[in-house]
């Protein structure tokens, strides 16, 4: 990475500084007290053990036609996420009484699962790289594959001390990528761009809860709002699903996650092509770009990047499942 001082561009907004930003739902991971001694204060607060609640919920989902493994995983995800504990601690304490606040919403939550709403949206947060990020229907749910992209970038970094490095995240969504990079490496000066103002609001909420004060935001369709700015590193997990691949997707994704963040024209390659066209102008001389890709798009994205930057070194990397998942471009 090129080390240099980078002034904040005027078009980037400091959404974090706006004190009025609030989530419209209970999204803080620790919003339940781990307390089974307090008695319910309302008649509709059911007094039951976590084990009883878990069995009931799984049976409800099975009766609705959900496969057993999916039903079990969803219920355990909700329980552990609501209580802010891991699966091992949940199993060790499964006979404890369910906290009154959780018991009050438990039937509603299970009804939402039956309607195929993702459990991350029900909770209002999702795990990513060891942290919890606020998510709702305005942004995609962070995936484990994207953690591997972040890990690759961090492994390539030249250390956590020294001059700042400007990093632009295109299509930031929840902000999980850029905010993780900033928290893991203090050299990173973060800039988040997204075509959706709603997504930028969620990213700003996450920056607030993670105490990130120097992240800057801009509403931009790829590079359209960035003028002639240059960055040491550009990262993107853009929309890359072709409309013809809808039949491979889970119904909950198609129903609840934002389609603008999922699908792209030209067999899912349109945004890569758009980004590639601007890399020469927006990367510093020794800059790098990193992309998450669809598992069938490896060579196509490599070719797109190589055509845009003939002197660049373009590397294709597989995920833990052995599928093509990431591309790195080192400007030559």
């Amino acid at each position: 990475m090129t080390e240099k001082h980078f002034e904040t561009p005027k078009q980037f907004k400091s959404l974090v500084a706006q004190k009025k930003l609030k989530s419209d739902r209970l999204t803080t991971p620790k919003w339940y007290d781990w307390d089974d001694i307090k008695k319910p204060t309302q008649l509709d607060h059911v007094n039951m053990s976590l084990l009883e609640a878990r069995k009931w919920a799984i049976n409800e989902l099975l009766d609705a036609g959900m496969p057993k493994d999916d039903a079990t995983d969803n219920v355990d995800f909700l329980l552990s996420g609501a209580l802010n504990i891991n699966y091992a601690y949940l199993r060790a304490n499964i006979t404890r009484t369910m906290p009154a606040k959780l018991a009050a919403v438990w039937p509603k939550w299970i009804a939402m699962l039956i309607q195929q709403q993702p459990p991350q949206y029900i909770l209002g947060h999702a795990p990513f790289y060891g942290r919890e990020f606020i998510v709702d229907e305005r942004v995609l749910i962070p995936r484990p594959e994207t953690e591997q992209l972040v890990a690759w970038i961090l492994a390539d970094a030249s250390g956590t001390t020294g001059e700042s490095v400007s990093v632009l995240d295109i299509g930031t969504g929840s902000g999980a990528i850029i905010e993780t990079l900033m928290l893991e490496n203090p050299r990173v000066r973060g800039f988040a761009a997204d075509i959706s103002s709603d997504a930028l609001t969620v990213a700003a909420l996450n920056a607030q809860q993670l105490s990130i004060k120097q992240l800057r935001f801009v509403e931009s369709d790829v590079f359209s709002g960035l003028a002639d700015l240059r960055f040491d590193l550009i990262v993107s997990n853009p929309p890359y699903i072709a409309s013809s691949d809808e039949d491979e997707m889970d119904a909950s994704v198609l129903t609840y996650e934002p389609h603008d963040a999922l699908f792209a024209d030209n067999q899912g390659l349109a945004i890569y092509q758009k980004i590639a066209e601007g890399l020469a102008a927006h990367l510093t001389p020794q800059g790098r770009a990193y992309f998450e890709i669809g598992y069938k798009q490896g060579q196509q994205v490599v070719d797109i990047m190589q055509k845009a930057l003939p002197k660049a070194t373009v590397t294709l990397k597989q995920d833990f499942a052995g599928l093509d998942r990431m591309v790195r471009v080192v400007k030559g």
Side-chain angles (χ1 to χ4, degrees):
M1 297 183 189
T2 302
E3 298 181 356
K4 64 180 182 60
H5 181 67
F6 195 94
E7 296 294 340
T8 301
K10 292 181 180 180
Q11 59 263 53
F12 281 89
K13 297 179 289 185
S14 180
L15 296 183
V16 178
Q18 298 178 16
K19 301 299 183 182
K20 294 182 180 180
L21 274 178
K22 294 182 180 179
S23 175
D24 57 1
R25 64 202 322 185
L26 294 172
T27 52
T28 305
K30 296 181 180 179
W31 60 286
Y32 288 124
D33 294 328
W34 183 242
D35 183 357
D36 55 9
I37 298 175
K38 291 181 180 179
K39 294 181 179 180
T41 57
Q42 298 180 26
L43 294 178
D44 60 349
H45 286 181
V46 181
N47 186 14
M48 67 170 65
S49 70
L50 293 169
L51 178 61
E52 291 171 321
R54 181 178 184 272
K55 286 182 177 179
W56 171 82
I58 291 173
N59 285 333
E60 288 289 307
L61 295 175
L62 292 177
D63 288 346
M66 185 176 291
K68 185 174 181 179
D69 287 347
D70 291 344
T72 301
D73 289 346
N74 283 331
V75 170
D76 287 346
F77 184 89
L78 282 182
L79 284 173
S80 58
L83 297 167
N84 195 36
I85 56 178
N86 59 36
Y87 289 151
Y89 198 84
L90 175 63
R91 289 192 295 270
N93 291 273
I94 198 67
T95 58
R96 295 181 66 167
T97 301
M98 176 177 273
K101 290 181 180 179
L102 180 51
V105 297
W106 191 241
K108 178 182 178 181
W109 281 10
I110 302 310
M112 294 167 77
L113 282 180
I114 290 173
Q115 295 169 1
Q116 298 184 323
Q117 186 160 347
Q120 295 91 339
Y121 286 164
I122 296 172
L123 281 173
H125 54 86
F128 186 82
Y129 221 84
R131 300 177 180 88
E132 293 289 332
F133 284 80
I134 294 168
V135 294
D136 58 28
E137 291 84 353
R138 293 173 288 183
V139 296
L140 291 183
I141 298 165
R143 265 64 173 187
E145 294 84 358
T146 309
E147 293 185 347
Q148 296 175 49
L149 177 67
V150 169
W152 193 16
I153 296 172
L154 291 171
D156 282 352
S158 56
T160 58
T161 60
E163 295 295 325
S164 62
V165 178
S166 57
V167 180
L168 171 67
D169 181 12
I170 297 176
T172 194
S174 66
I177 292 177
I178 189 62
E179 291 173 19
T180 299
L181 291 173
M182 293 180 72
L183 290 167
E184 294 293 323
N185 192 325
R187 295 176 62 208
V188 173
R189 291 286 303 279
F191 300 88
D194 204 294
I195 195 172
S196 167
S197 59
D198 286 340
L200 291 173
T201 298
V202 176
L205 286 167
N206 278 312
Q208 284 183 334
Q209 77 158 359
L210 294 168
S211 300
I212 298 174
K213 302 183 184 303
Q214 299 301 319
L215 179 58
R216 297 295 182 261
F217 304 84
V218 65
E219 189 173 335
S220 178
D221 181 3
V222 184
F223 297 114
S224 66
L226 302 178
D228 58 353
L229 298 175
R230 285 190 166 195
F231 302 88
D232 298 311
L233 191 151
I234 293 171
V235 59
S236 184
N237 177 18
Y240 58 68
I241 299 172
S243 58
S244 59
D245 289 334
E246 279 193 28
D247 57 345
E248 298 183 15
M249 302 179 66
D250 189 83
S252 65
V253 176
L254 289 174
T255 303
Y256 290 99
E257 299 200 52
H259 283 205
D260 287 348
L262 290 169
F263 297 100
D265 293 335
N266 193 17
Q267 296 301 305
L269 298 171
I271 308 303
Y272 297 113
Q273 293 169 324
K274 200 168 187 177
I275 295 175
E277 292 170 0
L279 284 183
H282 291 282
L283 276 178
T284 55
Q286 301 302 318
R288 298 185 177 201
Y290 293 79
F291 304 95
E292 182 173 328
I293 63 171
Y295 71 95
K296 296 186 290 186
Q297 298 172 324
Q299 192 57 52
Q300 292 170 298
V301 175
V302 168
D303 291 344
I304 288 170
M305 299 301 162
Q306 201 71 74
K307 182 179 179 180
L309 293 173
K311 295 182 179 180
T313 301
V314 183
T315 304
L316 177 64
K317 187 176 178 67
Q318 290 71 42
D319 60 19
F320 291 145
L323 301 173
D324 290 345
R325 187 62 64 185
M326 295 160 276
V327 168
R328 178 183 62 195
V329 180
V330 181
K331 192 174 181 181

